[in-house]
Structure formats: C-alpha cells, structure tokens
Amino acid sequence: MSLRLRATPELVAEAWLKTVVGDRVATSLPKDNTSWAASGFVTLATVGGTPNAYVPLRDPVMSVDCWAVNKQSQKPPWNKAAALAEAIVAACQDHQTIARTVALPTGYPAAQVKSAYVTGDPRRVYSDPSSYAHYLIPGLVIAWTEVPS
C-alpha cells in the first residue's frame, strides 16, 4: 500500500512565503551564505496549532526567522533582515491578496490559503556568533486546506 502525499504546514507556509519574499525560503538556513547574502533568507518551523477535528481546515502557528549577512563586514545588516520581516507583516495586512492557491512540490496536492496573520511584531535576536542579522516573527498563522485532486 502506498501512502498518498499530503500537504504539511511547512510546505504550505513555505509556498505562501515564497509569494511574498521570493525563492529564498526554506525550513533551514543554507550553509553557504553566498547564495543569499544579497537578498537575505527566511526560515520557518511549526511551533503550534491544532488541526480542526470536523473540517479539513488547518491553521498552524509558524515561527519565522529572517536572516541577513554582510560578507564584507562583521556588522550585522539589521535593516535587511527587518525589511524581510516587515514585508511578511505587510503581506498579512493586505487582505485582498492573502487568499490564493499555492503549488507544492511534485506529488503533493496544491493548497488553498484562506488567511494569514502574525501574532506578534518582529523582533531582533541578538548574540548570533556568525554576525548574521536575525529577526524573529514569533507567530505566523496560515489557515489552509488541501485542494481536492
């Protein structure tokens, strides 16, 4: 018996965030920062939420980390990381464009994003030993359903 691939909170959040900040989103930070030094990078992780018991609606809470690095200096580029975080907050406030269908990797069903909002303001995360600028959005809630195939 083969299992059917299902959408996951990380896949849906990553796909939706890519519509906001471009193709610089993943669940982990690339080890080689040369590929994202010019633009910054966004990582995410599921930190909460409960699937609806009666309808196929999901609304996980995601932790979103925005990163920036300056390869020519040890001074963290705080404004670049903050700009990524603020772009995500602004997208959550643009209610007319939040709802959309997002494509997931091959073999997975698409997902329909219904709503997205943040549960806290972005904040600086200090004491990164690599001199990266790091902003945290403590909660991004994305409500979604799988698109029936």
Side-chain angles (χ1 to χ4, degrees):
M1 175 175 125
S2 67
L3 292 177
R4 178 176 168 229
L5 296 176
R6 307 301 301 248
T8 67
E10 289 89 358
L11 289 175
V12 175
E14 182 177 337
W16 186 81
L17 284 167
K18 284 180 177 180
T19 69
V20 176
V21 298
D23 194 24
R24 49 188 167 167
V25 181
T27 55
S28 61
L29 196 59
K31 295 206 184 301
D32 178 10
N33 62 22
T34 59
S35 65
W36 57 269
S39 60
F41 203 83
V42 175
T43 59
L44 58 97
T46 305
V47 294
T50 304
N52 191 298
Y54 303 103
V55 296
L57 177 68
R58 306 282 297 268
D59 58 349
V61 180
M62 311 301 295
S63 172
V64 178
D65 296 277
C66 300
W67 303 87
V69 64
N70 183 346
K71 297 200 52 88
Q72 282 70 44
S73 170
Q74 288 297 307
K75 183 178 178 188
W78 292 109
N79 289 338
K80 188 183 293 183
L84 282 172
E86 292 300 330
I88 294 165
V89 171
C92 290
Q93 294 170 338
D94 186 3
H95 301 288
Q96 294 179 342
T97 63
I98 292 172
R100 66 185 75 184
T101 299
V102 293
L104 302 183
T106 303
Y108 288 88
Q112 175 65 46
V113 173
K114 307 291 186 184
S115 68
Y117 62 92
V118 294
T119 62
D121 277 327
R123 63 177 183 257
R124 281 187 186 198
V125 178
Y126 293 98
S127 74
D128 186 284
S130 62
S131 297
Y132 287 1
H134 178 194
Y135 265 76
L136 168 69
I137 299 173
L140 168 66
V141 180
I142 298 181
W144 58 274
T145 60
E146 279 188 357
V147 174
S149 51

